[in-house]
Amino acid sequence: LAIRATEKMDDDLRVNSTLPYVGQGLLRIAEKSNDTDGAKIVEQHMVELIGPDWKSKLEPGDVPA
């Protein structure tokens, strides 16, 4: 639901939203489930919505591997 909501936001708002943390959480779920395809989809979607540097918007130490 968070991703759907941010898809409707202006680009400037989305880039400065908490969406990177949603992506981080989804990546953790995919990784714990050994779902490499799911992780790739999450990564691709985050890049499309926020940009290739989306992980840099997380707090230091919060970046998923």
Side-chain angles (χ1 to χ4, degrees):
L1 293 174
I3 291 174
R4 287 186 193 155
T6 59
E7 288 174 340
K8 298 174 185 176
M9 290 177 147
D10 290 332
D11 290 342
D12 292 337
L13 289 175
R14 184 182 317 118
V15 169
N16 294 309
S17 73
T18 58
L19 184 58
Y21 292 97
V22 173
Q24 177 188 46
L26 291 171
L27 281 179
R28 285 182 178 163
I29 292 169
E31 289 168 359
K32 285 186 180 190
S33 303
N34 292 318
D35 184 1
T36 55
D37 289 337
K40 288 177 187 175
I41 290 168
V42 170
E43 178 71 30
Q44 179 182 11
H45 209 62
M46 292 296 108
V47 168
E48 289 171 1
L49 289 171
I50 306 171
D53 64 338
W54 73 272
K55 290 179 184 175
S56 70
K57 301 189 184 321
L58 298 167
E59 294 289 322
D62 287 346
V63 179

